[in-house]
């Protein structure tokens, strides 16, 4: 499975566990191994991106200010 | 308690001063006080209900307060350990709070330097009416469960690594601090959207529901945490509000509740997706993984995948030459299939053109997607504004009603003033009339009185005349009896030289000398017995 918009951290990690188990079993052929490695790297990149998103620094917003900004026509703050 | 019974438990073995006849003892007062305490503690344990007053919750081992009602009062003391075990707060003992206290009588015996005191020792305490609250809570719980509202949130997936978390709690509360500490333990540093709301009064439930709704509509959050610290069931009652619980149950975002402590079970805990015991646990439920550990694990996984990849590449090397040979053979075969290759190229070009034609479609699809998202946000804001519109309308009506009430109060004050003015005028008129009538009556009385005075004057005159007449008669009578009148007729009175009348010859002889009083004067005389006595007895 490639990382798509419906991918979540949980599904990515779960799939990674399956990939590692398959690779560790040494039952995968060459082509499958290469495909699993490619998929695994993509998932690792995705999961790392998710962890980075919650590792840069705590950000605190107030709901009232957020709504006031939205109602004023301003763009919501970026993630 | 029978005093003699108490006295019988004491022995007077120790020599004591002489007592009072008819009374046992004297006993040492301390021993008597100890026995009195034992008797009091033997009295039945009971529950009492009353109004708290004068509570003192200090640092000492006891909490003191009084329970009162219309008929009496009871001084109470409760061990601090019991007080804290019941999860009570000083606010539960505010003046005027109705409570039910269970315990029994106790007596502090005092000492040489400490005063004794009677106390009702409270072992358990709860706000009065709590039982009613719990019954209502159970009814509501059965009703919502019957409607299936407990299951809706639990079907929602809860992300283990959310990017944004919405939190509804009181600003500056201990729950807020504990929640942040829980996030720190998870090494999570994403975005928190705070929806601050009161968490303990009649305004709390609507405010919390509004914040939860707005967080779901505008906050773009992956989960919403509703949390506050512990308290009595009355304190936590806002979290059992039916409207709030229905709002949470129907929300599309998972809600994690952490209200009160382990033993507290509010209704929002039943309808939420996840129920936690404390704000710290709520943070750990909202972020299901330890981010630092996950990063380390991911790095290790990446290394393992790379190892597998390298080994695969190594395994692939001997095959690469064979593959190239096979490729070349294939190409030759393809070349031999020239017309087919030509057709394949044409198909390939057609495919590329189709792909090229698809590009604007992809762009349009992206635009449609963005427009859709924008429309959803706008619709959400519109719906939220609609949801607030009735509240705004109500507020406007409330302001108008208050204005009307003020106008009515002013109008009624004016009406009262006018009415009082009329009443004053009517009263003045009535008083004037009464004064006039009283004056007329007084005049009539005065006239009648004058007539009576004239009558009395006349009567007095007549009486005077009659009295004068009677006096005149008396005077005439007196004059008739006056001896002077007799003397004027030629008679004489014989009297002593001092003027005392002499009524007989004996008195005359005895006096010897005498005087003869006549109308025109007196003549001195004396008895001369030597002269011949005349036969008629006259001198």
């Amino acid at each position: 499975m490639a990382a798509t918009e419906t991918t979540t951290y949980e599904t990515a990690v779960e799939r990674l566990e399956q990939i590692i188990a398959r690779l560790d079993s040494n039952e995968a052929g060459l082509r499958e191994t290469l495909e699993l490695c490619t998929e695994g790297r993509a998932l690792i990149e995705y999961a790392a991106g998710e962890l980075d998103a919650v590792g840069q620094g705590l950000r605190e917003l107030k709901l009232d200010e957020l709504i006031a900004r939205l109602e004023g026509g301003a763009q919501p703050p970026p993630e | 308690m029978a005093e003699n019974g108490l006295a019988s438990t004491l022995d007077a073995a120790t020599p004591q001063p002489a007592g009072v006849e008819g009374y046992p003892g004297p006993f040492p007062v301390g021993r008597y006080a100890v026995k009195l305490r034992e008797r009091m503690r033997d009295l039945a344990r009971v529950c009492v209900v009353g109004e708290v007053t004068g509570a003192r919750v200090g640092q000492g081992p006891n909490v003191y307060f009084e329970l009162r009602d219309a008929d009496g009062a009871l001084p109470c003391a409760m061990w601090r350990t019991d007080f804290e075990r019941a999860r009570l707060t000083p606010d539960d003992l505010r003046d005027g709070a109705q409570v039910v206290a269970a315990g029994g009588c106790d007596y502090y015996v005092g000492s040489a330097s400490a005063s004794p005191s009677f106390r009702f020792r409270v072992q358990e305490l709860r706000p009065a009416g709590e039982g009613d609250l719990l019954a209502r809570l159970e009814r509501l719980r059965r009703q919502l469960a019957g409607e299936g509202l407990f299951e809706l949130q639990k079907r929602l997936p809860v992300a283990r690594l959310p990017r944004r978390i919405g939190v509804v709690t009181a600003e500056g509360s201990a729950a807020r601090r504990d929640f942040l500490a829980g996030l720190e333990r998870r090494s999570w540093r994403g975005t928190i959207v705070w929806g601050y709301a009161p968490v303990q009064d009649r305004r709390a439930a609507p405010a919390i529901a509004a914040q939860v709704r707005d967080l779901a509509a505008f906050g773009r959050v992956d989960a919403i945490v509703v949390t506050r610290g512990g308290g009595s069931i009355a304190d936590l009652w806002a979290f059992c509000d039916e409207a709030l619980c229905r709002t949470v149950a129907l929300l599309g975002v998972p809600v994690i509740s952490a209200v009160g402590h382990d033993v507290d079970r509010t209704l929002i805990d039943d309808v939420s997706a996840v129920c936690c015991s404390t704000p710290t646990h709520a943070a750990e439920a909202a972020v299901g993984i330890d981010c630092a550990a996950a990063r380390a694990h991911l790095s290790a996984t990446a290394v393992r995948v790379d190892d597998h990849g390298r080994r695969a590449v190594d395994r692939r090397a001997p095959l690469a030459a064979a593959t190239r040979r096979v490729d070349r053979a294939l190409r030759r075969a393809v070349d031999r299939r020239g017309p087919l290759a030509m057709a394949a190229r044409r198909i390939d070009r057609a495919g590329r053109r189709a792909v090229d034609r698809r590009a604007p479609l992809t762009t349009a699809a992206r635009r449609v997607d963005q427009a859709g998202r924008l429309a959803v946000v706008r619709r959400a804001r519109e719906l939220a504004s609609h949801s607030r519109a009735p509240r705004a309308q109500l507020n406007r009506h409330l302001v108008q009603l208050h204005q009307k009430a003020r106008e009515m109060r002013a109008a009624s004050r004016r009406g009262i003033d006018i009415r009082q003015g009329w009443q004053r005028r009517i009263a003045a008129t009535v008083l004037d009339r009464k004064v006039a009538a009283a004056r007329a009556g007084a005049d009539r009385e005065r006239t009648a009185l004058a007539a009576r005075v004239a009558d009395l004057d006349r009567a007095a005159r007549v009486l005077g005349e009659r009295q004068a007449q009677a006096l005149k008669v008396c005077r005439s009578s007196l004059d008739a009896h006056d001896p002077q009148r007799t003397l004027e007729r030629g008679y004489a009175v014989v009297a002593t030289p001092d003027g005392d009348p002499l009524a007989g010859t004996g008195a005359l002889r005895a006096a010897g000398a005498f005087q003869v009083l006549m109308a025109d004067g007196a003549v001195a005389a004396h008895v001369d017995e030597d002269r011949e006595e005349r036969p008629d007895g006259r001198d």
Side-chain angles (χ1 to χ4, degrees):
Chain A
M1 148 188 142
T4 65
E5 281 192 4
T6 57
T7 304
T8 64
Y9 179 84
E10 292 90 329
T11 56
V13 169
E14 188 182 350
R15 177 62 185 152
L16 266 174
E17 297 295 333
Q18 292 170 356
I19 287 171
I20 292 294
R22 178 68 181 161
L23 291 174
D24 286 346
S25 70
N26 289 324
E27 290 175 357
L30 180 60
R31 182 177 297 277
E32 186 186 358
T33 301
L34 289 172
E35 286 172 355
L36 289 176
C37 286
T38 305
E39 185 184 353
R41 287 192 187 103
L43 291 172
I44 287 167
E45 191 179 344
Y46 171 81
E50 291 295 302
L51 283 171
D52 284 347
V54 297
Q56 300 301 315
L58 192 66
R59 188 154 175 255
E60 298 185 58
L61 305 173
K62 286 186 177 177
L63 179 61
D64 295 341
E65 295 171 3
L66 198 63
I67 292 172
R69 262 207 302 265
L70 282 170
E71 287 176 343
Q75 288 296 315
E79 293 290 342
Chain B
M1 180 168 55
E3 289 298 322
N4 288 338
L6 183 60
S8 67
T9 63
L10 295 161
D11 62 71
T14 312
Q16 293 291 338
V20 178
E21 190 175 347
Y23 295 88
F27 306 108
V29 69
R31 288 173 52 210
Y32 183 85
V34 169
K35 291 291 177 186
L36 181 62
R37 181 178 65 190
E38 288 171 6
R39 280 298 177 92
M40 285 201 167
R41 286 180 175 177
D42 285 343
L43 292 175
R45 312 274 100 178
V46 295
C47 273
V48 292
V49 61
E51 195 173 278
V52 174
T53 184
R56 285 177 286 142
V57 187
Q59 299 300 317
N62 271 302
V63 174
Y64 296 103
F65 56 96
E66 279 187 14
L67 286 183
R68 292 174 180 269
D69 66 11
D71 299 321
L74 198 59
C76 298
M78 186 174 188
W79 291 115
R80 174 175 290 282
T81 49
D82 291 340
F83 184 77
E84 288 171 351
R85 191 182 307 118
R87 291 178 295 105
L88 294 165
T89 64
D91 188 55
D92 293 318
L93 291 180
R94 64 191 178 280
D95 279 358
Q98 284 280 339
V99 297
V100 175
C105 295
D106 198 2
Y107 182 70
Y108 172 60
V109 298
S111 67
S113 58
S115 297
S117 62
F118 163 75
R119 296 281 173 194
F120 185 81
R121 172 62 61 186
V122 179
Q123 286 158 324
E124 289 185 45
L125 184 82
R126 67 171 173 80
E130 193 168 84
D132 303 335
L133 284 182
L134 290 173
R136 280 169 54 196
L137 177 60
E138 278 313 306
R139 279 199 299 276
L140 198 52
R141 179 170 279 139
R142 282 197 296 275
Q143 182 189 345
L144 296 188
E147 294 177 25
L149 295 181
F150 287 2
E151 306 304 322
L152 300 178
Q153 275 273 317
K154 291 175 181 63
R155 292 180 196 147
L156 298 174
V158 181
R160 299 186 68 207
L161 185 64
R163 286 192 173 199
R164 285 166 78 107
I165 303 173
V167 186
V168 180
T169 190
E171 191 167 12
S173 63
R176 179 186 186 280
R177 192 182 59 240
D178 293 348
F179 183 76
L180 286 173
L183 290 182
E184 184 57 33
R185 278 163 60 173
R186 289 296 203 196
S187 303
W188 184 90
R189 298 183 187 89
T191 303
I192 301 177
V193 184
W194 295 105
Y196 294 123
V199 292
Q200 185 186 322
D201 57 28
R202 60 186 173 77
R203 298 172 298 133
I208 295 167
Q211 295 292 56
V212 166
R213 264 198 316 268
D214 287 351
L215 274 173
F218 300 113
R220 293 186 297 140
V221 293
D222 300 308
I224 296 172
V225 175
V226 180
T227 185
R228 69 149 278 168
S232 68
I233 186 65
D235 295 339
L236 305 181
W237 191 248
F239 295 89
C240 301
D241 180 76
E242 184 177 356
L244 170 62
C245 292
R246 287 182 183 278
T247 301
V248 168
L250 298 173
L251 220 57
V253 179
V255 173
I256 298 166
S257 67
V259 177
H261 295 299
D262 285 333
V263 292
D264 300 322
R265 183 80 185 177
T266 58
L267 212 49
I268 199 172
D269 294 329
D270 292 319
V271 297
S272 59
V274 181
C275 160
C276 300
S277 55
T278 63
T280 312
H281 291 163
E284 291 172 355
V287 180
I289 60 166
D290 182 338
C291 296
R295 279 188 204 98
H297 182 67
L298 199 62
S299 299
T301 305
V303 169
R304 289 170 70 184
V305 169
D306 282 346
D307 286 348
H308 281 290
R310 267 196 299 276
R311 281 201 298 273
V313 168
D314 292 345
R315 276 162 58 197
R316 190 181 170 187
L319 294 173
T323 305
R324 279 194 294 274
R325 283 198 299 276
V326 169
D327 281 348
R328 278 198 296 275
L330 279 172
R331 269 200 296 276
R332 280 197 297 275
V334 167
D335 290 344
R336 281 198 295 274
R337 291 188 299 178
L340 285 175
M342 185 73 76
R345 278 197 293 277
R346 279 206 299 272
I347 288 169
D348 190 37
R349 278 199 298 274
R352 273 200 294 275
R353 279 199 299 276
V355 167
D356 291 343
R357 280 199 295 274
R358 196 177 152 191
L361 287 175
T362 308
T363 308
R366 271 198 213 100
R367 283 183 190 156
V368 167
D369 184 44
Q370 284 173 349
R373 285 168 190 273
L374 191 58
V376 166
V377 170
R378 282 180 180 159
R379 183 66 179 158
R381 283 156 59 183
E382 186 187 351
L383 285 173
S385 69
H386 284 172
S387 74
R388 283 196 296 273
R391 191 171 56 194
Q393 183 72 4
L394 276 176
N395 286 337
R396 278 198 295 278
H397 277 297
L398 200 60
V399 170
Q400 287 172 356
L401 280 173
H402 283 158
Q403 179 61 25
K404 294 277 183 204
R406 280 197 294 274
E407 289 173 3
M408 281 177 67
R409 279 198 294 274
S412 51
R413 273 198 298 274
R414 282 197 300 275
I416 287 168
D417 290 343
I418 292 168
R419 190 177 173 80
Q420 285 176 342
W422 276 106
Q423 284 174 340
R424 276 196 293 274
R425 267 178 255 170
I426 290 167
T429 307
V430 169
L431 282 174
D432 288 345
R433 286 180 184 166
K434 286 194 172 177
V435 167
R439 279 182 184 152
D443 289 343
R444 282 195 299 275
E445 290 290 326
R446 194 181 298 119
T447 307
L449 210 57
R452 290 183 67 191
V453 167
D455 290 345
L456 284 173
D457 285 346
R458 270 197 305 279
R461 269 199 308 279
V462 170
L463 189 61
E465 287 167 1
R466 285 179 184 165
Q467 284 174 342
Q469 188 62 33
L471 205 57
K472 198 174 175 181
V473 171
C474 286
R475 188 176 293 122
S476 301
S477 300
L478 279 174
D479 287 346
H481 290 88
D482 191 350
Q484 189 64 29
R485 295 283 178 274
T486 307
L487 295 182
E488 284 172 357
R489 290 202 305 272
Y491 291 89
V493 174
V494 179
T496 64
D498 297 331
D500 292 333
L502 297 168
T505 55
L508 188 62
R509 283 191 189 96
F514 61 93
Q515 61 179 338
V516 178
L517 301 176
M518 301 190 70
D520 55 348
V523 178
H526 65 270
V527 178
D528 187 5
E529 291 286 343
D530 293 336
R531 292 175 67 182
E532 188 178 350
E533 195 171 333
R534 294 176 181 176
D536 57 359
R538 295 178 63 180
D539 288 333

